[in-house]
């Protein structure tokens, strides 16, 4: 395989991994998304190293640009879904914290009265 073909194959591989990452985000499979992302980062670095030693012709550059555009579109949606999830978790943590504070506030007098034998 020619170096240019290897580079384009690498971008196609990234596109497929990006699609799996997006699907994981859509399905709420966060652990799987993290696993895919860690592999994605390694593949990006491998591709970067390969691309240093390769010059693409005009057709290959157009194909690479198309693949990158599709990867970026998927990445944008994945990031939006991650941001939405982060916001959900922040809200849940805030609600939990408020409940805990309320519980402490309203249980404290009950505990003091119980210790004194008052109801």
């Amino acid at each position: 395989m020619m170096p240019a073909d290897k580079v384009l194959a690498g971008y196609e591989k990234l596109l497929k991994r990006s699609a799996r990452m997006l699907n994981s985000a859509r399905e709420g499979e966060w652990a799987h998304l993290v696993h895919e992302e860690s592999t994605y980062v390694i593949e990006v670095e491998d591709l970067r190293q390969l691309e240093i030693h390769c010059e693409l012709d005009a057709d290959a550059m157009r194909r690479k640009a198309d693949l990158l555009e599709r990867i970026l579109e998927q990445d944008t949606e994945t990031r939006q879904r991650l941001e939405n999830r982060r916001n959900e978790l922040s809200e849940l943590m805030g609600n939990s914290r408020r409940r805990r504070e309320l519980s402490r506030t309203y249980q404290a007098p009950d505990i003091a009265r119980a210790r004194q034998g008052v109801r």
Side-chain angles (χ1 to χ4, degrees):
M1 184 181 278
M2 300 287 293
D5 294 335
K6 287 182 180 181
V7 168
L8 293 176
Y11 280 102
E12 289 172 4
K13 188 176 178 182
L14 287 178
L15 178 62
K16 289 176 185 175
R17 178 139 344 254
S18 175
R20 287 193 300 270
M21 290 165 50
L22 177 54
N23 188 57
S24 293
R26 285 176 176 164
E27 299 294 321
E29 297 173 356
W30 307 113
H32 189 258
L33 174 61
V34 169
H35 172 73
E36 290 288 343
E37 278 186 316
S38 63
T39 304
Y40 181 88
V41 169
I42 293 167
E43 290 174 351
V44 166
E45 180 57 26
D46 291 345
L47 183 56
R48 187 183 73 76
Q49 292 296 321
L50 178 64
E51 206 165 2
I52 289 172
H53 308 289
C54 179
E55 196 167 314
L56 302 177
D57 64 20
D59 288 337
M61 288 295 289
R62 280 190 291 277
R63 178 70 182 139
K64 175 185 168 182
D66 177 58
L67 291 166
L68 277 171
E69 185 176 330
R70 293 168 59 197
I71 289 167
L72 291 173
E73 288 170 359
Q74 292 176 346
D75 183 64
T76 298
E77 184 179 343
T78 301
R79 289 182 186 278
Q80 182 60 51
R81 289 178 179 274
L82 278 167
E83 187 175 321
N84 292 344
R85 179 63 176 160
R86 186 193 69 213
N87 292 340
E88 288 172 13
L89 291 174
S90 282
E91 188 175 322
L92 287 171
M93 288 172 54
N95 288 341
S96 176
R97 194 174 307 118
R98 282 188 292 279
R99 271 187 253 134
R100 195 171 48 247
E101 289 168 1
L102 283 171
S103 178
R104 284 186 200 141
T105 300
Y106 289 105
Q107 283 182 353
D110 291 341
I111 292 170
R113 277 190 239 128
R115 286 183 182 153
Q116 295 171 358
V118 179
R119 290 198 178 246

